[in-house]
Amino acid sequence: MSSATPSTKTVFLDIAVIGGGIAGLWLMQRLRSSGLSCALFEQEALGSGQTVASQGMIHGGVKYTLGGTLTGASEAIKEMPQVWRDCLEGEGQVDLSAAKILSDHFYLFSSGGSASKVGTFFASKLTRGRVRPVSGDERPEIFRHADFRGSVYQLVDLVLDVPSALEALSAPLRGQLKKIRPTARWQRDAGGNAVLFADAGGETLEVHAQRFILTAGLGNEKILEQLGCHAPQTQRRPLQQVMVRHHLPHRFYGHCLGAEKTPRLTISSHPLGDGSWVWYLGGSLAERGATLSPEKLIAEAQRELRELMPWVDLGDCQWATLPVDRAEPRQRNFARPDKAAALRTDNCANVIAAWPTKLTLAPNLADEVLTLLREDDIQPAGGDTGSLQALPAPRVAATPWEKAFA
């Protein structure tokens, strides 16, 4: 029997998704035709946190081969660019035809002779169809300069305008996307199942669901703690990205090859509303930068760019940094997960904790969740999404560069 009071409204759903990033929205799209009553709950804005802080790369794992061998990570995601391209053409799992592509290709470049081993590997049959060398006028404009002495490879990867993807995914779901306050709380009922309590228009909504799917990134950790769950656990991978606002003619998307197995530097380009552009810098620079002050990291980024692209004039640029904690399911020795993870919890039978681990694996995460729902034989039981009308719809989050250079 419900413990509801006159000021509490009890709501029953088949599926409640917690977290409105790309992963949660993609999953909601996949659930649309299932007949299940579904709603998504977000505390801030759609995409806030890791989604809008990403570089928008939809990659097939080639950047994980920089040590000259294929890895579990590279093999797990090699089909992802085509999955996304199908969706962007309106013919895939979800309809992303309204989303924008910033670049149809991503590039790898070397600063000199550092890529000889990797270049030989890229020429092998193992990466055939995924990487090809480019020269002359095929190169991005920034590497047609006479002073460039390195090599350039083109990847099948693409770069997505993330805010437009959030708009495309959320538009058909408006009635099912609900913003809840940070005061929302979690409890377990007498049967050990999770229940969500959210304030709405002067009353409390007591939300029950056959399954709660947690796709809230770092927020998963707090929810699981409130529910007394000890597994799965979260690991954090801290980064500090650099943003460079400029009026240069170069729109570049690529990785710089270095001595490490991860890119020395990753550059993506993103537009601002005033006509200027932002270079968003990641890779090993961002990993090292996690422990640096913004001032020291900016100085290191400036040194890197001067060394790699001395012909580019960065004298009239504005600089800012963004700390980002990537959330992942905990792995032995803090290893990088090879694929998306959807895991049952140890203390709540109706909760699944899910992490895409990277933007490109959002389709993989939806597959993992749907597999668990099928295994648990979750069937439509009738729900009352109309009782959620008092909750407002969340907006799409502003990008970090819009905030930094407002």
Side-chain angles (χ1 to χ4, degrees):
M1 180 176 293
S2 171
S3 59
T5 66
S7 60
T8 299
K9 179 183 289 185
T10 303
V11 180
F12 294 95
L13 300 170
D14 292 322
I15 305 293
V17 177
I18 310 299
I22 286 280
L25 293 170
W26 194 293
L27 175 60
M28 285 289 292
Q29 284 278 5
R30 293 288 304 276
L31 289 167
R32 284 182 71 198
S33 61
S34 66
L36 298 167
S37 62
C38 305
L40 180 148
F41 299 92
E42 167 60 49
Q43 282 192 359
E44 298 179 28
L46 299 175
S48 59
Q50 289 177 241
T51 294
V52 293
S54 76
Q55 292 187 281
M57 292 181 295
I58 306 303
H59 67 88
V62 171
K63 73 174 187 173
Y64 298 127
T65 69
L66 299 188
T69 58
L70 291 174
T71 66
S74 69
E75 287 298 276
I77 65 176
K78 67 181 180 181
E79 305 301 329
M80 287 298 106
Q82 189 57 54
V83 171
W84 282 82
R85 287 185 190 278
D86 290 344
C87 294
L88 288 161
E89 293 171 3
E91 299 175 354
Q93 302 173 355
V94 304
D95 185 0
L96 284 177
S97 57
K100 300 174 186 175
I101 297 176
L102 292 175
S103 178
D104 274 321
H105 300 289
F106 215 77
Y107 294 89
L108 287 163
F109 70 97
S110 68
S111 57
S114 63
S116 59
K117 177 184 176 183
V118 176
T120 301
F121 178 67
F122 284 167
S124 73
K125 64 180 181 180
L126 293 174
T127 59
R128 190 170 297 159
R130 299 166 68 182
V131 183
R132 73 178 186 91
V134 293
S135 59
D137 289 344
E138 279 193 301
R139 290 175 175 172
E141 182 182 355
I142 198 169
F143 292 125
R144 297 177 197 170
H145 196 278
D147 291 345
F148 178 64
R149 297 287 186 270
S151 301
V152 182
Y153 303 87
Q154 186 186 81
L155 310 182
V156 297
D157 306 353
L158 58 94
V159 185
L160 195 65
D161 177 66
V162 171
S164 71
L166 289 166
E167 291 283 3
L169 286 171
S170 62
L173 301 168
R174 289 300 183 194
Q176 297 170 273
L177 308 180
K178 300 298 178 181
K179 184 174 181 179
I180 56 176
R181 299 174 185 173
T183 53
R185 64 193 187 279
W186 293 84
Q187 293 181 10
R188 290 193 305 156
D189 63 17
N193 287 311
V195 182
L196 170 65
F197 293 85
D199 296 328
E203 66 180 358
T204 298
L205 296 180
E206 179 182 317
V207 183
H208 297 254
Q210 290 193 61
R211 290 295 180 272
F212 286 98
I213 315 297
L214 309 185
T215 63
L218 287 175
N220 286 3
E221 188 174 42
K222 181 179 179 181
I223 294 170
L224 293 174
E225 182 179 334
Q226 284 189 44
L227 291 170
C229 297
H230 303 288
Q233 294 183 318
T234 301
Q235 67 184 28
R236 302 183 182 207
R237 196 174 299 281
L239 306 170
Q240 189 172 189
Q241 310 258 139
V242 177
M243 296 174 281
V244 189
R245 183 189 186 192
H246 62 83
H247 291 274
L248 298 166
H250 306 300
R251 312 285 178 261
F252 180 65
Y253 303 85
H255 305 294
C256 175
L257 302 173
E260 303 174 21
K261 292 184 179 181
T262 55
R264 173 178 173 179
L265 179 69
T266 296
I267 302 175
S268 56
S269 302
H270 306 269
L272 285 169
D274 64 357
S276 63
W277 282 72
V278 170
W279 275 359
Y280 194 33
L281 310 182
S284 292
L285 173 74
E287 293 180 1
R288 297 194 310 274
T291 59
L292 300 179
S293 69
E295 295 76 18
K296 288 184 177 179
L297 178 56
I298 288 170
E300 184 167 340
Q302 292 169 337
R303 284 193 298 270
E304 283 277 79
L305 290 172
R306 281 196 300 267
E307 180 179 337
L308 296 172
M309 305 170 181
W311 58 88
V312 176
D313 183 5
L314 298 172
D316 192 29
C317 295
Q318 293 177 277
W319 301 77
T321 67
L322 177 73
V324 181
D325 271 341
R326 290 186 178 176
E328 303 166 346
R330 184 169 295 182
Q331 309 288 297
R332 176 179 289 184
N333 298 325
F334 197 64
R336 294 176 185 270
D338 284 343
K339 63 178 185 178
L343 304 169
R344 296 185 176 89
T345 63
D346 66 341
N347 209 23
C348 288
N350 69 331
V351 174
I352 295 171
W355 297 265
T357 71
K358 48 188 70 68
L359 178 72
T360 192
L361 286 170
N364 178 226
L365 180 70
D367 289 340
E368 296 289 316
V369 172
L370 293 173
T371 295
L372 292 182
L373 296 180
R374 284 192 295 269
E375 289 177 359
D376 293 346
D377 195 26
I378 301 299
Q379 299 293 328
D384 185 16
T385 55
S387 297
L388 302 175
Q389 289 181 353
L391 294 173
R395 58 176 179 81
V396 170
T399 62
W401 36 95
E402 289 171 326
K403 294 179 180 179
F405 301 116

